[in-house]
DNA sequence: AAAAAAAATGTGTGCGCACACATTTTAGGA
DNA sequence: TCCTAAAATGTGTGCGCACACATTTTTTTT
């Protein structure tokens, strides 16, 4: 009774003693290394249960330093604010895991192409990483990308239908599409005539958002009519931006009643420019996605009303941390959706961005 | 050159070797234990810098287990959803820090009273805690509560003007008051006639929120007129709720043009009930604060439009973690504001609540 | 100048685990 | 039954640090 009060740490030794075996045997049981007789296996398992023993993470980590864990991550290093956040998450995870002797290898790709992504994956596997985090963009259910079978493989940002994925962390794009519709409704006082501009419309996330947006409108009396939906593609970012701008200008003049534009990703600024140039600031409400460095002015003037931000740095950080906990402490892997934030003029200083965003 | 490639861990031994002293001396320098000659002090500091050495957290933690860190926390265990979240944050921190041998002692108080809070503080100090987290409610600038001088003392939830506080983590109440005003404006299409109900109006946070709300309206053309501001007090929660309800009913009948109620804390449900009973659902928009278990129905029917939630569990968790990092790794302490979330029908499944909210 | 006190410095052990390696036990074959 | 291979079990070392304690050096006192 009194001994119970003394919060003595249960160690592998205690287990060994109770099970009447050596610490080596206990170790073998814990790590499923085999080479243990049935009799002792059961005794040790019983002892572990009775003492409710769990290995000390730090002692374990200290010991592991001899052959450290390596986690690989690949992502598109396309120079827009969206992707620039990924390395911030990596940096934070690296800092936190460095004392644990964890090695994080990052291989950025210069494009969204499957070929380059596959090459990056191959490189990581050649470097004998213990796990891989993959920034998904296109849905590669077509098996353009094949997750390795021997190494845990997780995705962030965009969900895919591919088999063999250990876990996924990302936004629920359908729901944030619905939320976008609600914001559009609020900003237009339930009298909205909306244009949907969908850049990179082939990406899974984009499609989900549009679906969510439409579904919400049909499902509830939000007072929004979608006048037109434009899918916008382009070879380069600048081309996409140009096309968005032109498409916005065109539709603004085509539809005098237009009072709302929904841009389904982080390219909203081109639409904002169009609204400004068409002298429609305040008259046309713009709803978009993500956080960009230059959005502050757009918010201040009202050229942009609100965006929904998916905290990419946090996604990255969480994925790495979960992978680490899995490798080191055998924690189970599970999908989780990331919490998204509404960014408006009034929340700009409340929402945490990028690195400041991790906890 | 080639040696640089081998990512050898720099240890205290390497530092000792370079500085031509023993590891014991290096240890003394690192921990400011004194008893080191000036000459050696400088040599060691130089060596640490040259090797850019930083102690291994895990090895340190393992060693510390001999006399573990204890963190004390006290909070009002008043049985409302708001305060019920604090223990969730404690639980999560405890789980994460348990392998580090950290002890977390919690002393709930049954009231908001200074007397009981002081008693809890005293108890914690008697138990030789290494740090204290204090859930502030009233501003105790009047020195009703005196932070101990020898133990780091942090506050969460409400900011106070008291001296000697190591750091504070909490919402920026003025800003969320401003955001509330914006939401009120959006939901009333810039044609708002608002009633402010301010329960526990003596609390710092409440006052700040009202100030933010009013300031935002005056500062921008939000199209809201505040018809009346009611400060509501009461001896018990049930009395406060009753008073809110009655005050709402009274004002609803007094002001036929009333179409918006702002409740400055988590007691919004009484106002929602009043709106329902007055048959004004949809006509009067209700903006409140925090998350409560029963809010889902209010949101679904439209009796409640939106609240702003301050993630109390996360505040608690972050405060404990920061304190731990300070004690164990000498990390510097700093104030930080918590990210708040807008809760509306459309975000209910996106926002993370309570325990699920920590990362 | 020797003795005593104080300051500075060095040494060694344990924290709990992982894993290589040594030793013992058991099973299999002659 | 004895010998050998295989299976099972036990032992010991290092991971990097904190801290008690032992030892050495310097300063002060007589």
């Amino acid at each position: 009774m009194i001994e119970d009060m003394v919060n003595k740490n249960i160690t592998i030794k205690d287990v060994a003693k109770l099970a009447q075996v050596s610490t080596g045997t206990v170790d073998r049981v814990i790590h499923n290394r085999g080479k243990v007789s049935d009799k002792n296996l059961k005794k040790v398992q019983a002892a572990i249960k009775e003492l409710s023993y769990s290995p000390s993470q730090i002692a374990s980590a200290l010991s592991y330093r001899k052959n450290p864990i390596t986690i690989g991550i690949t992502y598109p290093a396309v120079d827009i604010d969206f992707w620039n956040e990924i390395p911030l998450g990596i940096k934070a995870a690296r800092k936190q895991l460095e004392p644990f002797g964890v090695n994080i290898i990052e291989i950025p790709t210069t494009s969204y192409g499957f070929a380059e992504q596959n090459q990056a994956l191959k490189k990581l596997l050649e470097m004998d990483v213990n796990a891989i985090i993959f920034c998904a963009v296109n849905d590669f259910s077509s098996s353009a990308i094949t997750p390795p079978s021997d190494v845990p493989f997780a995705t962030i940002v965009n969900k895919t239908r591919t088999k063999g994925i250990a876990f996924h962390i990302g936004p629920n794009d359908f729901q944030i599409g619905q939320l976008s519709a609600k914001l559009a409704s609020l900003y237009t006082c339930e009298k909205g005539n909306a244009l949907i501009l969908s850049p990179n419309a082939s990406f899974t996330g984009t499609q989900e958002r549009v679906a969510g947006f439409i579904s919400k409108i049909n499902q509830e009396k939000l007072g929004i009519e979608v006048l037109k939906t434009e899918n916008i593609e382009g070879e380069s970012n600048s081309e996409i931006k140009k096309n968005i701008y032109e498409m916005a200008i065109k539709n603004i003049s085509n539809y005098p009643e237009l009072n709302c534009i929904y841009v389904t990703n982080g390219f909203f600024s081109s639409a904002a420019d169009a609204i400004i140039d068409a002298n429609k600031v305040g008259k046309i409400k713009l709803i978009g996605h993500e956080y960009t460095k230059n959005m502050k002015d757009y918010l201040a003037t009202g050229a942009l009303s609100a965006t929904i931000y998916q905290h990419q740095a946090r996604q990255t950080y969480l994925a790495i941390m979960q992978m680490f906990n899995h490798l080191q402490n055998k924690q189970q892997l599970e999908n989780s959706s990331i919490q998204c934030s509404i960014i408006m003029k009034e929340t700009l200083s409340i929402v945490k961005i990028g690195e400041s965003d991790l906890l």
Side-chain angles (χ1 to χ4, degrees), chain A residues 176-248:
Chain A
I176 66 180
Q178 292 185 306
L179 176 56
S180 303
K182 177 65 183 184
L183 291 174
S185 165
L186 281 172
Y187 275 96
T188 58
C189 289
E190 301 186 9
K191 292 183 196 74
N193 294 300
L195 164 69
I196 298 177
L197 295 176
S198 195
N200 292 334
S202 67
F203 292 3
T204 330
T206 319
Q207 290 170 351
E208 286 285 306
R209 284 177 211 146
V210 173
F213 192 90
I214 306 276
S215 132
K216 178 81 178 178
I217 289 172
N218 292 338
Q219 186 183 323
E220 297 188 27
K221 307 171 278 307
L222 290 184
I224 293 185
E225 190 181 346
V226 177
L227 302 175
K228 194 84 183 282
T229 300
E230 304 273 15
N231 291 338
I232 293 163
E233 300 291 348
E235 285 305 306
S236 64
N237 285 338
S238 56
E239 196 184 319
I240 293 177
K241 283 181 188 171
K242 187 169 143 268
N243 291 343
I244 294 173
Y245 178 85
E246 285 170 2
M247 205 57 94

Side-chain angles (χ1 to χ4, degrees), chain A residues 141-336:
Chain A
S141 57
S142 54
S143 75
I145 303 279
T146 308
S149 57
D150 46 344
V151 185
F153 179 93
T155 54
I156 56 175
V157 182
N158 273 293
K159 195 161 190 168
T160 74
R161 274 158 285 177
T162 307
K163 299 280 176 194
I165 293 187
F167 67 90
H168 172 74
I169 294 182
N172 185 323
D173 284 301
F174 190 81
Q175 280 177 352
I176 66 180
Q178 292 185 306
L179 176 56
S180 303
K182 177 65 183 184
L183 291 174
S185 165
L186 281 172
Y187 275 96
T188 58
C189 289
E190 301 186 9
K191 292 183 196 74
N193 294 300
L195 164 69
I196 298 177
L197 295 176
S198 195
N200 292 334
S202 67
F203 292 3
T204 330
T206 319
Q207 290 170 351
E208 286 285 306
R209 284 177 211 146
V210 173
F213 192 90
I214 306 276
S215 132
K216 178 81 178 178
I217 289 172
N218 292 338
Q219 186 183 323
E220 297 188 27
K221 307 171 278 307
L222 290 184
I224 293 185
E225 190 181 346
V226 177
L227 302 175
K228 194 84 183 282
T229 300
E230 304 273 15
N231 291 338
I232 293 163
E233 300 291 348
E235 285 305 306
S236 64
N237 285 338
S238 56
E239 196 184 319
I240 293 177
K241 283 181 188 171
K242 187 169 143 268
N243 291 343
I244 294 173
Y245 178 85
E246 285 170 2
M247 205 57 94
I249 291 286
K250 192 185 94 186
N251 281 282
I252 289 173
S253 76
N254 279 1
Y255 299 100
E257 73 272 36
L258 187 72
N259 64 357
C260 178
I261 299 180
Y262 173 44
V263 180
T264 60
N265 67 9
F267 282 116
F268 55 80
S269 66
S270 306
D273 289 333
I275 291 173
I276 294 169
D277 293 348
N279 204 22
K280 290 279 197 176
V281 172
K283 297 195 184 70
I284 297 180
K285 308 291 184 178
L286 175 61
I287 308 290
H289 282 282
E290 315 308 346
Y291 170 85
T292 64
K293 282 184 209 132
N294 69 354
M295 76 192 295
K296 211 173 163 179
D297 287 339
Y298 292 122
L299 286 170
T301 60
L304 172 67
S305 294
T307 73
I308 300 168
Y309 169 55
Q310 62 170 283
H311 298 270
Q312 304 91 285
R314 192 189 289 170
Q315 287 182 46
T316 312
Y317 172 83
L318 290 180
I320 296 174
M321 296 309 282
Q322 182 167 178
M323 217 37 128
F324 166 72
N325 280 320
H326 172 66
L327 295 172
Q328 177 113 343
N329 310 319
K330 286 183 269 169
Q331 189 186 89
Q332 219 182 333
L333 297 177
E334 53 187 14
N335 292 337
S336 62

Side-chain angles (χ1 to χ4, degrees), chain A residues 9-268:
Chain A
N9 292 313
I10 311 276
T11 75
I12 202 171
K13 270 190 183 175
D14 301 314
V15 176
K17 198 172 164 190
L18 181 61
Q20 295 173 301
V21 295
S22 71
T23 59
T25 301
V26 176
D27 178 72
R28 270 167 223 121
V29 172
I30 293 172
H31 295 89
N32 296 313
R33 296 193 216 281
K35 312 204 174 187
V36 177
S37 67
D38 265 14
K39 192 189 67 180
N40 279 343
L41 178 64
K42 275 168 195 159
K43 284 209 305 195
V44 170
Q45 285 170 336
I48 288 176
K49 200 171 174 187
E50 179 168 344
L51 298 173
S52 63
Y53 164 80
S54 68
S56 156
Q57 289 179 38
I58 46 173
S60 176
L62 188 60
S63 198
Y64 268 130
R65 292 197 72 136
K66 280 178 260 176
N67 50 328
I69 289 171
T70 305
I71 297 175
I73 178 167
T74 176
Y75 60 94
V78 178
D79 185 29
I80 51 177
D81 288 334
F82 185 87
W83 295 111
N84 286 339
E85 268 203 25
I86 307 289
L88 301 181
I90 298 175
K91 186 178 154 197
R94 187 175 274 141
K95 189 178 165 193
Q96 182 156 354
L97 294 181
E98 181 264 321
F100 289 83
V102 175
N103 211 353
I104 302 178
I105 298 174
E106 48 183 310
I107 301 189
T109 60
T110 60
S111 71
Y112 303 132
F114 287 139
E116 206 188 346
Q117 286 177 345
N118 268 317
Q119 210 175 346
L121 267 189
K122 203 178 143 198
K123 257 194 226 165
L124 287 176
L125 289 170
E126 276 167 7
M127 297 175 85
D128 271 329
V129 297
N130 303 99
I132 291 176
I133 316 275
F134 188 89
C135 259
V137 181
N138 293 295
D139 185 347
F140 42 81
S141 57
S142 54
S143 75
I145 303 279
T146 308
S149 57
D150 46 344
V151 185
F153 179 93
T155 54
I156 56 175
V157 182
N158 273 293
K159 195 161 190 168
T160 74
R161 274 158 285 177
T162 307
K163 299 280 176 194
I165 293 187
F167 67 90
H168 172 74
I169 294 182
N172 185 323
D173 284 301
F174 190 81
Q175 280 177 352
I176 66 180
Q178 292 185 306
L179 176 56
S180 303
K182 177 65 183 184
L183 291 174
S185 165
L186 281 172
Y187 275 96
T188 58
C189 289
E190 301 186 9
K191 292 183 196 74
N193 294 300
L195 164 69
I196 298 177
L197 295 176
S198 195
N200 292 334
S202 67
F203 292 3
T204 330
T206 319
Q207 290 170 351
E208 286 285 306
R209 284 177 211 146
V210 173
F213 192 90
I214 306 276
S215 132
K216 178 81 178 178
I217 289 172
N218 292 338
Q219 186 183 323
E220 297 188 27
K221 307 171 278 307
L222 290 184
I224 293 185
E225 190 181 346
V226 177
L227 302 175
K228 194 84 183 282
T229 300
E230 304 273 15
N231 291 338
I232 293 163
E233 300 291 348
E235 285 305 306
S236 64
N237 285 338
S238 56
E239 196 184 319
I240 293 177
K241 283 181 188 171
K242 187 169 143 268
N243 291 343
I244 294 173
Y245 178 85
E246 285 170 2
M247 205 57 94
I249 291 286
K250 192 185 94 186
N251 281 282
I252 289 173
S253 76
N254 279 1
Y255 299 100
E257 73 272 36
L258 187 72
N259 64 357
C260 178
I261 299 180
Y262 173 44
V263 180
T264 60
N265 67 9
F267 282 116
F268 55 80

